[in-house]
Amino acid sequence: MRFMLLFSRQGKLRLQKWYTATAERDKKKMVRELMQVVLARKPKMCSFLEWRDLKIVYKRYASLYFCCAVEEQDNELITLEVIHRFVELLDKYFGSVCELDIIFNFEKAYFILDEFLMGGEIQDTSKKSVLKAIEQADLLQEVRVCDSLNWCPCAVHFSMPTTNKCERVSSVICVCLSSACLSQEDESPRSVLEEMGLA
Amino acid sequence: MSDVVEKTLTALPSLLSLDSQPGAGKLSSTSKLGQFIRNITELTSKHEEEKLIKKELAVIKDQVSSPYTTMRQMRELMVRSMYCEMLGYEASFAYIHAIKLAQQGTVLEKRAGYLAVSLFLNENHELLLLLVNTVLKDLQSTNIIEVCMALTVVSQIFPKDMIPAVLPLVEEKLSHPKEIIRRKAVLALYKFYLIAPNQVQHIHGKFRKALCDKDPGVMTSSLHIYLQMIQESPDSYKDLVGSFVTILRQVVGGKLPLDFNYHSIPAPWLQMQLLRILSLLGREDQSTSETMYDVLNESLRRAEMNHNITYAILYECVKAIYTIHPKAELLEKAAKCIGNFVLSPKINLKYLGLKALTYVVQHDASLALQHQMTIIECLDHSDLLIKRETLELLFRITNAQNVTVIVERILSFLRLCNDDYTIIDLVGKVAELAEKYAPDNEWFIQTMTVVFSLGGDLMPPDIPSSFLRLLAEGSQSEVDDRQLKVYAVNSYLSVLNDDCSHLPQRFLQVISWVLGEYSYLREGLDQEEVILLLKKLLDQRGVSAETRSWVLSALTKLCRGSGRAELALAVAESLSSTLDTVLRQQGHELRHLIQDGSLHARVLPQPAPANSLEVDSSLSFLDGFVSDALAAGAAPYKPPHQRQEELGQQRAPTLEPYALSLPMSLSSCTVTDRQSPSVLSMSSGLSANSTEPSQRAGVATLMLEGVKRVWGKEGYLPQRDTSETPATVEEPSDVVQSSHQQVVIDISQPEPEPEPPQLDKKQQLASSLFVGLGSQNSACLLGKTEATVPRFRRKPHLNDASSSGTSERSSDSSHSSHSTADSFLYGGLLEEEPATPIQSSRHAPQPIAASGSCEARQHGLTVNGVDENRGGAVVCAKEEKRAHPTQLIESDMVRVRPNALAEGAVVPPQNCSRHLPSTSSCGSDSEVLKLPFELQNLPHSDIISLISDSHLCISCCRVFREDALLIVLFLSNSTEMVLCDVALELSCEELQMGSLRGNVMESMAGRTSSVCHYTVFMERPHTHVPFTGTVSYQTQPGHKHTLHFSGKLTTADFIRPLVLSTEEYGKLWLSFSHDVKQNLRLLTDAGDPLIATLNVLKDCLQLHIVDIIGSEGIVACRLLDGAPCLMHCRVHGASLAVWLRSSLSSFPDCLLYHCQRALQEH
């Protein structure tokens, strides 16, 4: 895969990921042109597109267009499924994802994408393990939040992803594991959780 | 514990209110990013947005550089600047801070920092160097998440030069206990492999380990690397076929954990990857293909669900089936699948079906026939992509009968098309079809006119130049040529008479050249009129300087005669004050030529002599000047790519190093402009051998007619009358059992009443489009192959043999008449007669010639020396020629190679001469050493005597089979006694011994000989490989004799020519990493030094000369049928600068060594 773009129906770029070295100026030009081409297509048309020397595979989900550029010999259908899987991941993570989620949490979307695709190739085909990896990292993020509160130096504070995003905050559970925390400083939090039998 | 929990619960509310960040989705208004984004979305005008972002950026910039900003704040700032960048506003001040954040932050800030870096910078950014240390540190971290982040960023952006720094650490991660790390490490290595394959070559063994990893995810990731590597050299991975098949079988059988299912299909990505790998491995390899038939069948069978993902797998499966060695049963199923795709109402599937059809139609054109109605419907589809793909399909099935219809279709598509890439592609295709299948001159010129005006200035320059070349060189028939030229002149005159302001420059150039060159051919045409038209063109605004220069040179050709001279003189005058120096010079020259009629006639003779213009591309006439300048202290000229090399900026200096780059404008600068078309044509002639666009080469193989159809099978061979369309389409309906059947029936059984006219039209179109295909089968069966002959067959270039290289000549000779073949063969022999007697005997076309002449010659050798032996050789050759005329014809295909390199080591000359009489006396007793019949036609060395004692005489001959070296050992019993228990053993440490035959005999009668062969392979090149052997035998029971012998083989024995086109060469060249450069001696004794030197190398080492362009030559060979080695030679002063590249590290060195020896010994 050469690159992936997410843009809105209004032609606003929401996410871009380039897997081959491209000059900044070319990127901008390509994004602009490609958005025009894709937005001009009618809904009944083919999801594929030959554009420049690339093959473009795009799909629209609500108001967002997901658009991948692949090589000539790549399989278009499977690229559509790559897009679909990414959407599924976003959906699972944010809980029925909408464009606003991606706008406001675009860095999260990037993290998910990085966990899903690496160097332009699909890295993990299992939905569960992608999300697990993301959650591990998120977890860490929130451990630090607790740290900064100086409430308990060894607090592990983690959130379980739920399907309802509103409930997410409320599902915060705080557990203090002073001994476990200190002895396993270097271990990833996952192992701590595993010990608790929660993961 | 309870109080801890209590404390926790009491703290919860405050925590919740503060910590809004992780609550994904809704950001509170207190978040600066949220506020910022909201502000932006509220704005209406672009201008306001710009203002706001500028302000925001200023704030960020201010805060970022403040020393009081904490890392946490910094992370927030980075996210904001990422957002600004995404909106298209540069935030370059933040780059360094992003790196700092990745460096210094704790894990969560690091993650943001790395993300920012990967979004801000690209691979070539210099700031990335600052990141290397951070990445190194994180790779060594004990925290899995940090390692993950580092691996991600490494695979995302990493400077190529810095790969060696992190490589050991990444490699180490391949054996990390956590599978996620292993997986990421494999993918990072894959990325490294893509950008710098030579850096990761040494860890191929570890890739195998990854392939065998117990975690399916890691294994899947490793397949990316394997796919790449197998694409490059499928032969090296044949041993893995079994494993891939097993993996695929397990996956298809649902043996993977459910986690890997995607919409209840087991690991589709993995399946597709495997299918691709298998198709690469099975291509043109029957035995490998056979191992995968079962699993392919299974995949086809399992993928029956109606979901995109199964269709994706099916598509790969079909492609694989058509790529590997064919199997009728699978082909049938695959054809059925394609039918399902094509007939599907879903547009995406239809497109894929067309794509598959385009791929398959090369193998089996009848499939297109089956779907002709669908194809015709797709031709008028509203989606351009479908239309485009259909045209691609039609392009592949074009033949002489349907070319007009298809080209018309493509051109009408082109008229509506406004995408540059499509135009360039299609214009090239039309030009190619027109040249190949044009039914008549008129049509050809008209089509090319449309091509030129539609293609415009986007058109690749080789289209006009090959068109002009075609006109200039013509075909075999004079009358035809003349007609073509006259027709071109006529149509271009009418083009010029119309408004020509919109015509592209390239077309104007073509027009002016044709008019200048051929307008005299048209009778009754007043040349003044032509001049006036050209003059009008010259005055027209919007005509580029280059075109003007073309027009002017056309004028120069036309200006003879009084009235015309005045017109031309006026033009020349008007140009005398132009600012363009080239034009001014041309005007000046024009004036001179007009005034001096005889000079004009000499410079520009009226019927331009075709092919007689020779362009001295080496500019040898400047040699004097150059040497003077050098003597005066000037620096020697270095060609651009060498200069680049020396700067060491790039490993591969240019992407297309072998194209002759004569800028067209350069050719039109001087009076010798008459040559401009031939310069053009020459350069394109060269590039026809070299860098002609790939489609040309690709399509040459796609000519369907007359090609032996490997893929045909019983079911498809029967001809179908193309006019009976319904019957043809109906055919698949009995196999299509799904909902598509409805569609089939709709098409196949049309009700004639409701829409007869439209249907009629379609039927008509069908019969005109598919006309060639139906008859093609019969043509093929009847053996009628003439139909494929391209209409414009180019004349063979007689006078540029020097540039086209010897390879062409030798292939010519096999076709040419008997006598020329002989004269070539023997002419070559005489010239290359080496000085030493021994070697001369090795040049004989058949080492064991008629015994008499052989003997005579060998006596001559030992007694009389060089002169005699030349005579002897000729006699021998002539006699043999008389004796075996039929054999001779074969023998010019049989390679006989001189062994200048090896035999000195095998047997010292004296030794040989001492034994020769005895052998020949042996021979006179009707006992001549002769290669076994099946080996006689293979290239081989002479038979040389290795050792002998009073009983047994051992000789050796090396037979150069394409894939191995055969060491043939002759044991001849020179006594009358019977020798018992003869056993022969040969050993060699460095080589792989293959089969052997005949090395043990119970008894050997007197005066007989026996033959024993060893097949040896060389996998790693060694300069010299010693081998030793023993023969033991018993004269009487108990009297055991042993003979030890030894010899040396060299890499040269294992080198085989690698025949490939210049274009393939170019591709290969870039893919190799091991290179060696050195200067070799240039042979200056005869003719062109480069050609002479290369020929010597070719003869000694069996290299294949791919192409010679000016002072550069490219040569290719390979180690048996394995690793290739490419050699690029350039004449550089008095030496030959060679540059070798190969995929094997020691191969270039080895080859270089042998080249040096070959040249020394010459």
Side-chain angles (χ1 to χ4, degrees):
Chain A
M1 192 181 289
R2 298 276 195 89
F3 58 84
M4 187 186 229
L5 300 178
L6 259 72
F7 49 87
S8 70
R9 214 160 37 135
Q10 290 79 30
K12 287 256 187 267
L13 188 63
R14 295 300 178 209
L15 210 72
Q16 56 172 339
K17 191 85 190 176
W18 298 76
Y19 293 106
T20 45
T22 320
E24 212 53 51
R25 257 182 50 218
D26 296 339
K27 278 188 194 173
K28 278 186 187 156
K29 192 159 170 260
M30 284 167 90
V31 169
R32 209 175 43 236
E33 281 180 31
L34 192 60
M35 279 202 290
Q36 269 177 9
V37 175
V38 171
L39 288 175
R41 287 179 68 84
K42 297 189 185 74
K44 278 277 174 74
M45 284 181 160
C46 209
S47 308
F48 318 129
L49 196 61
E50 270 167 24
W51 182 75
R52 298 196 175 189
D53 54 340
L54 293 174
K55 178 127 301 156
I56 307 294
V57 178
Y58 71 91
K59 190 153 187 200
R60 186 177 153 183
Y61 288 86
S63 59
L64 262 189
Y65 281 89
F66 289 70
C67 179
C68 291
V70 294
E71 313 280 339
E72 182 59 37
Q73 70 273 12
D74 283 334
N75 189 316
E76 293 88 351
L77 282 180
I78 201 88
T79 316
L80 268 184
E81 294 313 301
V82 168
I83 294 178
H84 189 73
R85 177 40 66 99
F86 180 48
V87 175
E88 280 180 351
L89 285 171
L90 290 172
D91 198 60
K92 190 98 186 262
Y93 182 80
F94 289 111
S96 79
V97 68
C98 68
E99 193 184 339
L100 280 179
D101 290 325
I102 295 175
I103 299 175
F104 284 100
N105 293 288
F106 70 94
E107 85 276 18
K108 292 262 165 79
Y110 274 122
F111 292 142
I112 295 176
L113 185 60
D114 277 345
E115 208 54 51
F116 175 53
L117 294 174
M118 195 166 154
E121 296 291 345
I122 198 155
Q123 182 198 153
D124 204 327
T125 54
S126 147
K127 193 152 55 175
K128 213 165 80 190
S129 62
V130 174
L131 289 175
K132 204 156 77 186
I134 294 285
E135 274 150 25
Q136 276 175 27
D138 279 355
L139 215 53
L140 211 67
Q141 202 149 342
E142 286 154 30
V143 170
R144 299 298 164 180
V145 173
C146 288
D147 278 358
S148 65
L149 287 174
N150 266 335
W151 167 68
C152 168
C154 47
V156 177
H157 162 205
F158 65 95
S159 67
M160 299 295 282
T162 57
T163 43
N164 184 346
K165 57 198 162 195
C166 303
E167 282 171 25
R168 254 198 107 189
V169 182
S170 57
S171 69
V172 173
I173 306 164
C174 295
V175 180
C176 187
L177 290 163
S178 41
S179 58
C181 238
L182 288 173
S183 61
Q184 305 208 0
E185 226 171 37
D186 281 332
E187 275 290 325
S188 80
R190 187 183 157 207
S191 58
V192 178
L193 293 178
E194 272 170 351
E195 277 182 15
M196 293 166 58
L198 283 171
Chain B
M1 191 71 185
S2 64
D3 58 322
V4 173
V5 174
E6 199 179 327
K7 211 171 162 188
T8 309
L9 291 176
T10 49
L12 250 172
S14 64
L15 218 159
L16 289 176
S17 64
L18 270 172
D19 176 39
S20 56
Q21 223 284 324
K26 308 292 176 251
L27 283 184
S28 69
S29 55
T30 52
S31 151
K32 282 182 187 146
L33 174 70
Q35 192 57 51
F36 173 51
I37 293 174
R38 215 156 288 154
N39 286 344
I40 284 176
T41 38
E42 277 163 13
L43 295 177
T44 44
S45 77
K46 183 87 187 160
H47 180 69
E48 279 176 82
E49 183 190 289
E50 201 176 315
K51 230 166 72 186
L52 183 73
I53 290 179
K54 285 265 162 68
K55 217 173 82 196
E56 179 76 15
L57 280 174
V59 171
I60 296 174
K61 189 172 182 177
D62 201 43
Q63 290 190 4
V64 140
S65 43
S66 145
Y68 302 109
T69 314
T70 63
M71 279 296 154
R72 185 153 182 243
Q73 286 165 328
M74 191 66 102
R75 181 174 67 113
E76 225 268 318
L77 289 171
M78 280 306 132
V79 175
R80 267 152 72 194
S81 20
M82 277 190 261
Y83 194 79
C84 294
E85 281 253 327
M86 189 157 69
L87 291 175
Y89 298 87
E90 195 181 288
S92 52
F93 61 85
Y95 297 172
I96 185 76
H97 294 284
I99 291 180
K100 233 162 78 185
L101 189 64
Q103 206 163 29
Q104 297 167 354
T106 50
V107 182
L108 79 151
E109 289 125 18
K110 220 181 232 315
R111 185 160 78 147
Y114 273 134
L115 178 65
V117 169
S118 71
L119 288 176
F120 288 156
L121 309 180
N122 66 12
E123 260 167 50
N124 308 319
H125 204 287
E126 50 192 1
L127 279 181
L128 272 186
L129 289 180
L130 297 176
L131 195 71
V132 175
N133 231 340
T134 316
V135 170
L136 282 176
K137 207 179 80 205
D138 285 339
L139 279 175
Q140 285 162 306
S141 159
T142 46
N143 187 330
I144 298 183
I145 291 177
E146 281 182 344
V147 180
C148 281
M149 286 191 293
L151 285 172
T152 307
V153 84
V154 153
S155 74
Q156 175 70 236
I157 39 158
F158 207 70
K160 205 168 156 184
D161 323 332
M162 287 297 132
I163 290 177
V166 292
L167 194 58
L169 286 174
V170 177
E171 250 176 85
E172 201 178 276
K173 295 289 172 285
L174 287 178
S175 38
H176 197 277
K178 283 265 184 285
E179 68 275 356
I180 185 169
I181 303 281
R182 292 203 301 273
R183 198 170 58 214
K184 282 183 196 265
V186 170
L187 279 171
L189 287 177
Y190 165 67
K191 184 73 198 244
F192 291 168
Y193 185 83
L194 287 184
I195 54 179
N198 50 333
Q199 311 259 30
V200 290
Q201 230 155 22
H202 59 285
I203 36 180
H204 282 191
K206 294 203 174 156
F207 295 153
R208 289 213 176 203
K209 220 179 115 215
L211 183 67
C212 306
D213 200 284
K214 61 181 188 297
D215 181 67
V218 181
M219 186 262 291
T220 312
S221 313
S222 75
L223 290 182
H224 295 302
I225 303 180
Y226 274 100
L227 184 65
Q228 283 295 327
M229 294 196 298
I230 289 171
Q231 235 158 20
E232 276 154 34
S233 67
D235 291 338
S236 331
Y237 298 94
K238 296 273 184 195
D239 56 321
L240 286 174
V241 174
S243 325
F244 290 133
V245 168
T246 321
I247 298 174
L248 184 56
R249 186 169 295 129
Q250 286 176 351
V251 174
V252 172
K255 298 275 184 346
L256 283 187
L258 286 180
D259 263 3
F260 289 89
N261 280 12
Y262 177 84
H263 293 263
S264 70
I265 303 294
W269 281 275
L270 176 56
Q271 282 195 44
M272 294 187 38
Q273 204 75 1
L274 284 168
L275 285 170
R276 268 187 215 174
I277 288 177
L278 287 182
S279 73
L280 287 173
L281 287 172
R283 169 184 247 143
E284 287 162 10
D285 184 342
Q286 186 171 2
S287 59
T288 311
S289 299
E290 271 160 10
T291 58
M292 49 185 89
Y293 288 149
D294 278 350
V295 75
L296 286 178
N297 198 6
E298 183 71 10
S299 302
L300 272 185
R301 200 177 62 78
R302 294 256 182 174
E304 270 176 351
M305 221 175 67
N306 187 7
H307 188 277
N308 262 349
I309 199 83
T310 50
Y311 289 120
I313 294 173
L314 275 181
Y315 176 76
E316 283 307 320
C317 233
V318 167
K319 256 178 100 167
I321 287 171
Y322 272 95
T323 312
I324 62 171
H325 190 87
K327 188 186 183 201
E329 181 199 339
L330 282 178
L331 286 180
E332 206 170 302
K333 284 187 180 166
K336 203 166 95 183
C337 269
I338 295 179
N340 286 348
F341 275 99
V342 173
L343 297 173
S344 166
K346 286 187 190 162
I347 187 160
N348 289 348
L349 294 188
K350 203 184 253 315
Y351 170 74
L352 234 57
L354 284 174
K355 222 176 117 176
L357 213 49
T358 312
Y359 183 75
V360 159
V361 90
Q362 308 165 29
H363 305 307
D364 186 359
S366 61
L367 260 184
L369 269 184
Q370 283 177 30
H371 299 293
Q372 46 179 311
M373 284 323 262
T374 321
I375 293 173
I376 283 164
E377 264 161 27
C378 291
L379 208 50
D380 293 323
H381 203 279
S382 58
D383 193 337
L384 283 185
L385 183 75
I386 300 273
K387 237 172 158 171
R388 171 88 175 71
E389 193 58 41
T390 315
L391 291 178
E392 185 76 35
L393 173 62
L394 290 182
F395 167 71
R396 307 256 163 140
I397 57 168
T398 308
N399 54 33
Q401 283 128 306
N402 58 12
V403 64
T404 45
V405 192
I406 289 179
V407 165
E408 186 40 52
R409 281 276 158 174
I410 300 182
L411 288 179
S412 63
F413 179 83
L414 264 178
R415 285 191 189 100
L416 300 173
C417 176
N418 51 9
D419 175 49
D420 291 356
Y421 285 84
T422 317
I423 291 178
I424 292 173
D425 183 45
L426 285 181
V427 155
K429 283 181 174 152
V430 173
E432 192 187 319
L433 291 180
E435 194 179 305
K436 213 148 71 181
Y437 301 114
D440 56 58
N441 288 332
E442 206 169 314
W443 183 87
F444 179 65
I445 297 288
Q446 270 169 2
T447 307
M448 288 313 280
T449 303
V450 182
V451 165
F452 287 137
S453 37
L454 284 178
D457 295 315
L458 295 170
M459 196 160 46
D462 67 299
I463 295 178
S465 65
S466 88
F467 172 72
L468 291 185
R469 189 155 75 113
L470 201 102
L471 276 185
E473 285 166 8
S475 54
Q476 255 89 10
S477 140
E478 283 285 325
V479 187
D480 230 28
D481 282 351
R482 199 186 158 86
Q483 202 194 353
L484 182 69
K485 287 169 185 166
V486 171
Y487 192 81
V489 169
N490 282 344
S491 58
Y492 292 156
L493 278 178
S494 67
V495 167
L496 280 192
N497 273 320
D498 292 343
D499 175 31
C500 51
S501 52
H502 60 281
L503 292 179
Q505 303 298 319
R506 287 257 162 76
F507 190 28
L508 291 178
Q509 291 164 8
V510 168
I511 291 179
S512 46
W513 187 82
V514 170
L515 291 182
E517 206 73 20
Y518 299 119
S519 60
Y520 76 94
L521 284 174
R522 203 191 118 179
E523 281 146 31
L525 174 69
D526 187 6
Q527 303 266 347
E528 265 176 54
E529 193 191 322
V530 182
I531 293 188
L532 280 174
L533 279 173
L534 289 176
K535 193 162 169 283
K536 197 178 91 191
L537 209 58
L538 210 55
D539 296 335
Q540 208 170 71
R541 227 177 287 166
V543 173
S544 73
E546 195 190 333
T547 312
R548 274 169 216 268
S549 156
W550 281 73
V551 174
L552 208 53
S553 55
L555 277 177
T556 316
K557 289 169 203 163
L558 291 170
C559 66
R560 207 172 311 157
S562 61
R564 292 176 245 161
E566 270 141 40
L567 276 173
L569 211 55
V571 173
E573 290 302 330
S574 72
L575 286 173
S576 64
S577 57
T578 174
L579 284 177
D580 190 314
T581 45
V582 175
L583 287 180
R584 204 153 68 196
Q585 190 192 348
Q586 273 193 302
H588 192 63
E589 286 161 5
L590 175 60
R591 208 168 52 215
H592 267 280
L593 287 175
I594 293 167
Q595 282 155 5
D596 191 343
S598 60
L599 181 64
H600 188 273
R602 221 178 69 204
V603 175
L604 302 164
Q606 185 56 282
N611 288 339
S612 66
L613 289 171
E614 278 187 44
V615 178
D616 186 358
S617 60
S618 65
L619 304 179
S620 62
F621 55 89
L622 285 174
D623 283 353
F625 175 76
V626 171
S627 61
D628 286 351
L630 284 177
Y637 173 73
K638 286 174 190 158
H641 63 268
Q642 193 187 353
R643 267 175 278 162
Q644 261 180 9
E645 262 163 45
E646 283 170 12
L647 281 173
Q649 281 174 332
Q650 261 177 306
R651 285 184 72 93
T654 48
L655 278 174
E656 294 185 328
Y658 304 109
L660 193 70
S661 52
L662 285 178
M664 263 190 257
S665 50
L666 179 96
S667 61
S668 50
C669 296
T670 58
V671 193
T672 49
D673 184 39
R674 190 52 174 263
Q675 295 180 346
S676 69
S678 37
V679 169
L680 255 183
S681 65
M682 188 202 62
S683 65
S684 69
L686 289 178
S687 64
N689 296 335
S690 52
T691 49
E692 198 95 339
S694 56
Q695 72 221 42
R696 195 153 289 247
V699 169
T701 60
L702 299 180
M703 286 178 50
L704 291 166
E705 283 180 284
V707 178
K708 196 177 157 208
R709 283 183 43 228
V710 195
W711 295 87
K713 56 185 167 50
E714 296 314 320
Y716 293 135
L717 276 176
Q719 295 78 58
R720 295 191 183 85
D721 194 342
T722 39
S723 56
E724 284 176 29
T725 340
T728 348
V729 185
E730 211 164 20
E731 209 268 346
S733 69
D734 58 347
V735 288
V736 180
Q737 281 152 358
S738 60
S739 60
H740 309 312
Q741 195 165 12
Q742 197 53 46
V743 185
V744 180
I745 292 165
D746 280 351
I747 301 164
S748 58
Q749 297 172 340
E751 273 132 68
E753 271 98 76
E755 35 168 23
Q758 202 200 350
L759 200 80
D760 257 11
K761 238 164 89 187
K762 282 190 175 171
Q763 296 265 337
Q764 242 172 15
L765 183 60
S767 56
S768 57
L769 274 179
F770 298 95
V771 58
L773 293 180
S775 62
Q776 177 232 332
N777 291 344
S778 60
C780 195
L781 288 179
L782 294 172
K784 201 181 91 189
T785 48
E786 304 94 307
T788 57
V789 174
R791 175 169 169 76
F792 299 105
R793 188 194 277 166
R794 299 216 161 108
K795 277 185 189 159
H797 293 247
L798 292 174
N799 52 353
D800 54 27
S802 61
S803 68
S804 62
T806 28
S807 58
E808 193 178 302
R809 207 173 350 146
S810 60
S811 69
D812 266 356
S813 69
S814 61
H815 296 292
S816 61
S817 70
H818 186 174
S819 63
T820 49
D822 288 349
S823 72
F824 171 62
L825 188 62
Y826 290 102
L829 263 179
L830 279 182
E831 275 163 27
E832 286 157 22
E833 196 79 42
T836 54
I838 298 298
Q839 283 171 346
S840 78
S841 75
R842 303 209 158 82
H843 274 273
Q846 290 282 317
I848 309 301
S851 62
S853 66
C854 182
E855 203 181 340
R857 178 165 137 232
Q858 285 181 343
H859 282 303
L861 296 185
T862 43
V863 182
N864 293 327
V866 182
D867 284 332
E868 245 328 308
N869 105 54
R870 287 195 173 197
V874 178
V875 169
C876 154
K878 279 188 181 154
E879 276 191 10
E880 193 177 277
K881 187 164 114 195
R882 242 174 272 137
H884 313 281
T886 45
Q887 211 175 359
L888 258 184
I889 299 173
E890 282 167 24
S891 81
D892 69 22
M893 279 176 277
V894 172
R895 252 184 322 144
V896 177
R897 39 201 301 195
N899 308 315
L901 298 179
E903 87 296 307
V906 178
V907 172
Q910 303 91 331
N911 198 4
C912 183
S913 60
R914 198 176 64 224
H915 287 292
L916 272 174
S918 73
T919 358
S920 57
S921 69
C922 257
S924 59
D925 291 357
S926 84
E927 187 49 50
V928 178
L929 296 178
K930 211 162 184 170
L931 277 174
F933 180 71
E934 70 272 17
L935 300 179
Q936 270 173 8
N937 281 339
L938 289 172
H940 50 77
S941 70
D942 294 287
I943 300 173
I944 45 172
S945 166
L946 278 179
I947 197 163
S948 62
D949 64 1
S950 49
H951 302 108
L952 200 62
C953 173
I954 304 169
S955 314
C956 164
C957 172
R958 283 161 291 144
V959 177
F960 308 104
R961 216 168 66 189
E962 197 52 32
D963 61 334
L965 177 74
L966 298 185
I967 302 179
V968 182
L969 292 166
F970 299 90
L971 307 174
S972 23
N973 187 351
S974 48
T975 61
E976 302 290 347
M977 281 186 285
V978 177
L979 302 177
C980 308
D981 290 335
V982 184
L984 190 142
E985 250 175 71
L986 188 76
S987 65
C988 177
E989 279 175 24
E990 283 95 344
L991 296 175
Q992 287 71 42
M993 290 283 179
S995 61
L996 75 168
R997 218 188 292 167
N999 67 331
V1000 180
M1001 274 168 295
E1002 276 183 15
S1003 69
M1004 196 173 169
R1007 296 276 167 214
T1008 57
S1009 59
S1010 83
V1011 181
C1012 148
H1013 23 127
Y1014 284 86
T1015 315
V1016 285
F1017 304 97
M1018 182 183 260
E1019 275 173 11
R1020 298 260 138 216
H1022 302 273
T1023 337
H1024 291 294
V1025 189
F1027 65 87
T1028 54
T1030 48
V1031 183
S1032 58
Y1033 62 91
Q1034 296 184 341
T1035 41
Q1036 298 151 30
H1039 283 75
K1040 194 170 175 182
H1041 298 253
T1042 316
L1043 268 175
H1044 293 276
F1045 61 90
S1046 65
K1048 260 187 198 173
L1049 299 170
T1050 71
T1051 319
D1053 293 320
F1054 295 89
I1055 290 174
R1056 305 285 178 266
L1058 175 61
V1059 181
L1060 75 183
S1061 72
T1062 313
E1063 194 206 353
E1064 290 163 340
Y1065 181 96
K1067 268 188 206 153
L1068 265 185
W1069 179 264
L1070 292 178
S1071 66
F1072 290 155
S1073 47
H1074 298 287
D1075 60 353
V1076 173
K1077 291 181 210 171
Q1078 191 148 358
N1079 284 353
L1080 290 180
R1081 198 162 66 91
L1082 199 58
L1083 298 175
T1084 44
D1085 43 351
D1088 184 308
L1090 176 65
I1091 294 171
T1093 314
L1094 287 186
N1095 278 341
V1096 168
L1097 292 180
K1098 178 184 159 227
D1099 292 338
C1100 293
L1101 296 169
Q1102 296 305 319
L1103 310 173
H1104 170 68
I1105 301 181
V1106 181
D1107 206 350
I1108 296 181
I1109 305 161
S1111 64
E1112 294 177 34
I1114 50 176
V1115 176
C1117 66
R1118 56 181 176 178
L1119 196 62
L1120 297 177
D1121 52 358
C1125 184
L1126 307 179
M1127 184 158 120
H1128 171 250
C1129 316
R1130 192 181 52 242
V1131 179
H1132 183 61
S1135 59
L1136 186 71
V1138 291
W1139 185 2
L1140 294 109
R1141 274 196 180 187
S1142 170
S1143 52
L1144 280 180
S1145 54
S1146 48
F1147 200 9
D1149 285 318
C1150 250
L1151 188 63
L1152 197 63
Y1153 170 80
H1154 288 297
C1155 289
Q1156 278 168 338
R1157 288 214 41 194
L1159 291 177
Q1160 260 170 26
E1161 278 171 33
H1162 179 74

